[in-house]
Amino acid sequence: MERARLTPFPPREQATTRICKVSSFATELLEIRSKEPSLHVLLIAGNPGIAAFYKDCVEALYENLGGQASVTAIGHISHSQKDYEHGRLFSLYEQIDHKVDFIEQELQHSEQPIVLVGHSIGAYIGLEVFKRFQNKIIFFVGLYPFLKMNKSSVTQSAIGYIARSSLLSKLVSSSASLIGSLRPSITRGIVRRFLGPSWSVTAVDAVCCHLLRYNTVRNVLLMAMTEFQKLTEEPDWTFIRAQEEKMAFLFGVDDHWGPLSHLEEISKHAPRVTLSVETEGHTHGYCCTEAGSVWVADYIAYLIKNQMPVRNN
């Protein structure tokens, strides 16, 4: 019997990292540029705002859209391997302005419309950005959104306690930096043992290279403190209701950052928003596993294709 000839699948297009200056701040981007894009998908990271976590998702999304859309994940200022800003700390409000400045600098004058995607606090940031570019952004997707405080969350209370204490914040940041300064094989072994086998190589690399840095952890905690201060307020229901047909939110079954009670609130205030509940067993940190990244990329691509058909190759 003639041996069947196996045709290998073409390798997935690889996302590349680029550092660009946005209003004088070094900004880490993870992107795949389409040669003939019909739109641009911009993914705003959660907290920690490390673009590298989203590599698998960016690549899978680009593939799912047939290479007809450019895809970019943007990180937060000073949430990166190098301390480009020399110890300066940035609040939630400054990170929002940073994303606005990025769109004005990089995307505002292009012909392609923007589909904006935000993960966790990135969903809150995305809504604020959407307000300022309502003619440019054609659709918004909030993934496992963190839009308001969850008073019953012990984790949020603990993080808030640490973030409010300058002493504890410095202690946690120094401890992370110490682990990150060890020999790479030792650091990776500690991270892999602590996080478990389900985390992808992409996510472990992101932790070892970017998160275990003093400046990153200090900024993660400062941003968290200002998040918790702001998110005691109600979301801007007037804006959400005005744009409800251009919005979708994905919630997790057991997610203390975005509990299902928040989904019910959105449904009550803006009934035409597209709401989904992920029941496949992925977590709030979907980008930390390859399976979660691919599943979410499929979800985003499905929404985009229904909202704005992407032309065939």
Side-chain angles (χ1 to χ4, degrees), residues 50-101:
I50 298 169
F53 274 114
Y54 300 89
K55 183 176 187 294
D56 293 332
C57 186
V58 166
E59 292 173 357
L61 181 56
Y62 179 83
E63 184 176 62
N64 286 349
L65 295 175
Q68 300 303 314
S70 294
V71 184
T72 300
I74 183 170
H76 300 324
I77 315 170
S78 206
H79 290 222
S80 56
Q81 183 176 9
K82 295 183 179 179
D83 185 9
Y84 292 106
E85 308 309 329
H86 310 291
R88 179 174 169 181
L89 303 179
F90 296 85
S91 68
L92 171 64
Y93 321 105
E94 290 169 307
Q95 299 291 3
I96 292 171
D97 289 341
H98 171 249
K99 308 308 174 290
V100 171
D101 292 344

Side-chain angles (χ1 to χ4, degrees), residues 24-271:
S24 80
F25 298 124
T27 302
E28 180 184 288
L29 306 174
L30 187 71
E31 59 186 4
I32 305 180
R33 290 280 183 161
S34 171
K35 293 180 181 178
E36 297 182 358
S38 57
L39 57 92
H40 199 123
V41 182
L42 178 63
L43 194 163
I44 300 175
N47 188 9
I50 298 169
F53 274 114
Y54 300 89
K55 183 176 187 294
D56 293 332
C57 186
V58 166
E59 292 173 357
L61 181 56
Y62 179 83
E63 184 176 62
N64 286 349
L65 295 175
Q68 300 303 314
S70 294
V71 184
T72 300
I74 183 170
H76 300 324
I77 315 170
S78 206
H79 290 222
S80 56
Q81 183 176 9
K82 295 183 179 179
D83 185 9
Y84 292 106
E85 308 309 329
H86 310 291
R88 179 174 169 181
L89 303 179
F90 296 85
S91 68
L92 171 64
Y93 321 105
E94 290 169 307
Q95 299 291 3
I96 292 171
D97 289 341
H98 171 249
K99 308 308 174 290
V100 171
D101 292 344
F102 171 77
I103 291 178
E104 289 179 341
Q105 174 181 308
E106 298 277 325
L107 303 178
Q108 171 76 343
H109 303 295
S110 69
E111 296 179 358
Q112 292 77 41
I114 298 171
V115 172
L116 191 61
V117 181
H119 173 217
S120 191
I121 190 62
Y124 179 87
I125 294 172
L127 286 173
E128 293 299 307
V129 172
F130 192 3
K131 291 179 184 178
R132 308 189 201 187
F133 298 99
Q134 295 180 44
N135 293 328
K136 184 69 174 175
I137 295 169
I138 60 169
F139 200 68
F140 169 78
V141 183
L143 304 171
Y144 305 91
F146 180 34
L147 303 178
K148 61 183 293 187
M149 290 294 293
N150 178 2
K151 295 179 181 179
S152 64
S153 170
V154 175
T155 301
Q156 290 184 29
S157 297
I159 294 174
Y161 180 77
I162 294 171
R164 289 190 299 270
S165 168
S166 177
L167 177 62
L168 290 177
S169 293
K170 291 176 181 177
L171 179 61
V172 170
S173 302
S174 297
S175 299
S177 178
L178 176 62
I179 296 172
S181 68
L182 300 174
R183 201 166 61 195
S185 60
I186 296 176
T187 298
R188 179 172 290 275
I190 293 172
V191 169
R192 176 60 76 183
R193 185 176 181 83
F194 180 75
L195 298 176
S198 64
W199 277 49
S200 65
V201 172
T202 296
V204 172
D205 286 345
V207 171
C208 294
C209 295
H210 300 275
L211 184 56
L212 296 179
R213 299 289 180 268
Y214 184 85
N215 64 288
T216 300
V217 179
R218 284 284 281 150
N219 268 286
V220 165
L221 291 171
L222 187 281
M223 185 174 169
M225 183 182 74
T226 54
E227 289 171 26
F228 294 171
Q229 292 170 346
K230 182 63 178 176
L231 270 59
T232 56
E233 304 172 7
E234 285 292 307
D236 187 344
W237 296 119
T238 300
F239 174 72
I240 294 174
R241 189 159 44 247
Q243 298 291 341
E244 58 186 341
E245 294 183 348
K246 295 182 179 180
M247 291 186 185
F249 291 95
L250 174 68
F251 284 81
V253 172
D254 187 20
D255 181 6
H256 72 89
W257 296 104
L260 295 182
S261 59
H262 293 179
L263 177 149
E264 294 168 1
E265 284 191 61
I266 295 174
S267 179
K268 180 178 68 175
H269 288 280

